Every structure is written in structure tokens, then in C-alpha cells.
Amino acid sequence: MKTSLHLDIYDARHRAQAASIIKDGGTVVFPTETVYGLGADAGNPHAIAKIFAAKGRPADNPLIVHVANQQAFLDASHDQNQLSLYLVEHLQPGPVSIIVQRSEQISSATSTGLATVGLRIPQLDLCRDFLALCGCPVAAPSANLSGQPSPTNFAMACRAMDGRADAILSGPPSQLGLESAILYAADDQTLHVLRPGQIDLNSLKIDLAKAGFVGLSIHLPGSGQHVPPAPGTRHRHYAPHAKVYLYYSQDQLKELVQSLCLQNQSIALLAEPSQAIASQAGRQTSQFTLMPDGNYSCQAASLSEYEQSLYRLFFDADDLGCKAIVAWCPHQDGIFGQTSLALQDRLQRAAGKLN
């Protein structure tokens, strides 16, 4: 079904037609619970090349692969240790990608020549149904131009991939709004968090101890440990066109806004979320308000709403013509603090504070 867009649009009723494009070596944008992804057959190097070209993605940045169920996960990998098998059984489906040894089903083009690949089973039913119809592992980085914010709803994905992908499978806004965590079990005693995500590491460590993984060490990014390269960790990521500035306290906020106003910078403020529980209307309620000084401001109702709406707010700030985004960033409260490591990671990368 053609529209004025330069890509075919399918809905849940026509997901089989969208899957046929993947089978034929094409590319399809599709929804997940984290962000919208740009998919192609992970075993077809020619299809994978289309993903890199569409995104302008660096050639050394491997792709995460999505599969429909645990059997498909096991078929796409081999030689997992016991810790990896536990993660597959207990964290899949979910917003977690697990680095494993890739099987012959996965092209070396997908993993940029590495022997390993990141695999995950999405939570969204529509997504898993689509993947099952594809009948193959589907490589799918976020459906954005490389380095820019990931799309978290249909409109953002269409804007980013119009004329760059063959089709889009429409679906709901992403429930979580941040990319998956990436975990790597080097052995049965060592777990690396290569990219933070929306997973409670403290609870995971407790569950692993109960399962017999006593003495397990968990290493966060930057630990200096030797680990495989992972998507979203070595290049500029998640950044809007506007320059992102972070603040951690009200004093820092006042200083930043004063300085930017003196430079005549138009500002979009992402204020610290309130302590109130999110409204019954659900998430994605944050929107900018034009302030008397000519700048824009918004405040999420909760930390989870802030995470879910972050990329959309980046997108909207660019549409408003703002040259600067001043965003609240939670403090690092230790390895297993209650604040979001994923949110910190994405904000810091958007602000250019992490490589």
C-alpha cells in the first residue's frame, strides 16, 4: 500500500507481506519495545550492506540480531557457557541483547567480521510475530541515521528512513524508549555490561547467586576489561542537531541557562522529573511549553517517563529550532544505584561526554 512516502507502509494485518521483503533481501523498519529498528536478513551480506548504507553506519560497528523465540536464539548461536544459557532462559524475551558465539546462520557482515554477535528476543508480540514470519534471524540496529537519536514511534521512524528503507511495519510507540542492554558472559563467573539498559543489575546479581553463580563479578563499561566490540559503545550516538548540555543540580541549571541566554541561544529545557506517579493517561505525555523568555521547557512525571520520552523530546526540540538542549542527568549512585544507568549513558553520549 503506497503512500506519499518513499516506502511501503504495512500494519499488523499485513505483516506477512512485510516479512516477504526481508526474505527477498530487502529492508523493513519495525517496532520493538525499546526503539524502532531497521531490519534485514542477518544471513544475507547484500541485505546487511543496505542497512549500513541507509544509516551511514561506520563499517566497524556490529549489528544486533533479533529472533522470534528461544529455539531461534540457540540456532543462531553456539558454544554458550552456563551463564549465557541462564541469561537466555531468564532474560529473553526482553530488552537485553546477549553477546554469544555466532552460528553459520549469521553472516560475518552482520558482526563486522567478529566471531561473536549480539542476539535478543523482543518483548513486543507484533515484533515476534513478524520475526517468525521472516523465518530467519533479522539484524536490526535502530532505524535512525548513524549518531542521531533512535526513533521511538512510527512518525519518527518514517522521517528518519523515508527513501532509505523498502518498507515500514507500523506499530505502537516504544514502551521503554531506550535501546537494549548488552550483556556478555565471558565465563561462568564474569558478566560484562557492555551497554547499560533498563535492567535491574542488583536483582540480576541476586537471582544469579540463587541459581548457583556464587562469586560472580559484574563489570560496567569502562572497567578496562577485554571485551568484544558492541553496538552503541564506540561511536557518537543518540545526539540531536541541537547541542546537549547536562546539569545535575539547580545551581548548575541556573548557570547554564544564564550563559546560554547571554549567547542568544534558544533553549529547550528537559527539567528534572517530578516525584509524582505518572498519570493514568500513560507515558509519552511530556511536551514542551513556550516560556515567557522565549525558550521551551518540559518536565516528565517520572523517571521512567523521562527515559521513554527522551529521544522524542530531542526530536521535538530540533523541530522547534532550538540550538541548545539543557537536560537533567541523574547522579551516578554507584554500580547498583537506583537511578538509571541507561539514561545516564544515553545523555552523556548525546552531550559528547563519552566516546
Side-chain angles (χ1 to χ4, degrees):
M1 29 183 130
K2 286 282 188 183
T3 73
S4 59
L5 296 173
H6 297 96
L7 75 171
D8 289 330
I9 297 178
Y10 298 92
D11 60 25
R13 297 167 299 172
H14 303 93
R15 55 189 180 274
Q17 291 95 314
S20 68
I21 295 174
I22 296 289
K23 295 177 182 178
D24 292 339
T27 56
V28 176
V29 176
F30 62 92
T32 79
E33 75 278 10
T34 56
V35 299
Y36 271 66
L38 172 61
D41 181 351
N44 183 337
H46 300 291
I48 294 304
K50 295 177 182 179
I51 290 180
F52 281 90
K55 287 175 59 69
R57 187 178 179 91
D60 63 342
N61 197 2
L63 306 179
I64 285 175
V65 174
H66 298 64
V67 294
N69 51 55
Q70 289 194 354
Q71 186 57 56
F73 191 111
L74 296 175
D75 290 343
S77 61
H78 63 73
D79 296 335
Q80 300 105 316
N81 54 43
Q82 291 302 308
L83 179 53
S84 291
L85 291 171
Y86 179 92
L87 297 174
V88 174
E89 182 177 354
H90 293 274
L91 298 183
Q92 302 292 326
V96 179
S97 300
I98 303 169
I99 301 290
V100 294
Q101 297 293 310
R102 63 179 174 87
S103 75
E104 61 279 357
Q105 287 190 0
I106 309 298
S107 168
S108 63
T110 298
S111 62
T112 62
L114 299 173
T116 55
V117 66
L119 295 176
R120 88 176 185 99
I121 307 170
Q123 283 179 329
L124 185 66
D125 290 343
L126 169 61
C127 181
R128 290 201 308 276
D129 290 346
F130 168 67
L131 293 170
L133 291 166
C134 290
C136 63
V138 175
S142 55
N144 59 335
L145 296 181
S146 187
Q148 295 184 9
S150 301
T152 56
N153 60 38
F154 174 75
M156 291 172 66
C158 285
R159 283 271 294 269
M161 287 292 114
D162 186 18
R164 295 175 176 272
D166 296 314
I168 182 168
L169 178 63
S170 66
S174 301
Q175 181 183 10
L176 299 180
L178 296 179
E179 299 83 359
S180 64
I182 301 178
L183 305 181
Y184 169 56
D187 52 49
D188 289 342
Q189 295 297 307
T190 311
L191 180 63
H192 294 277
V193 181
L194 304 186
R195 181 172 70 186
Q198 290 168 310
I199 177 174
D200 188 331
L201 295 177
N202 193 37
S203 295
L204 176 60
K205 189 171 186 179
I206 292 171
D207 291 342
L208 287 168
K210 290 179 180 178
F213 296 97
V214 180
L216 175 77
S217 59
I218 297 181
H219 300 277
L220 293 180
S223 66
Q225 299 284 324
H226 177 69
V227 294
T233 59
R234 295 184 297 147
H235 296 278
R236 179 180 179 271
H237 276 280
Y238 321 124
H241 296 298
K243 184 171 176 57
V244 177
Y245 300 86
L246 305 182
Y247 77 92
Y248 300 86
S249 68
Q250 289 301 308
D251 287 341
Q252 287 181 317
L253 172 60
K254 291 176 183 177
E255 291 177 4
L256 266 175
V257 170
Q258 185 178 44
S259 173
L260 292 169
C261 286
L262 288 174
Q263 301 172 42
N264 293 318
Q265 292 270 24
S266 54
I267 301 169
L269 170 63
L270 309 187
E272 179 177 356
S274 69
Q275 299 302 312
I277 299 175
S279 68
Q280 291 185 350
R283 293 179 177 175
Q284 212 155 344
T285 57
S286 298
Q287 57 184 353
F288 285 107
T289 299
L290 179 62
M291 306 303 288
D293 61 4
N295 293 313
Y296 295 87
S297 176
C298 73
Q299 182 181 40
S302 65
L303 185 65
S304 61
E305 185 187 284
Y306 187 34
E307 293 171 335
Q308 194 274 345
S309 60
L310 179 67
Y311 293 151
R312 181 177 55 82
L313 292 172
F314 281 174
F315 182 88
D316 291 347
D318 279 341
D319 267 3
L320 291 169
C322 296
K323 300 303 180 183
I325 296 173
V326 178
W328 174 77
C329 185
H331 281 290
Q332 172 63 277
D333 290 336
I335 292 179
F336 303 117
Q338 294 303 305
T339 56
S340 171
L341 292 174
L343 179 61
Q344 293 167 12
D345 176 82
R346 305 313 189 268
L347 284 167
Q348 289 169 354
R349 291 186 187 280
K353 294 184 179 298
L354 294 176
N355 294 325

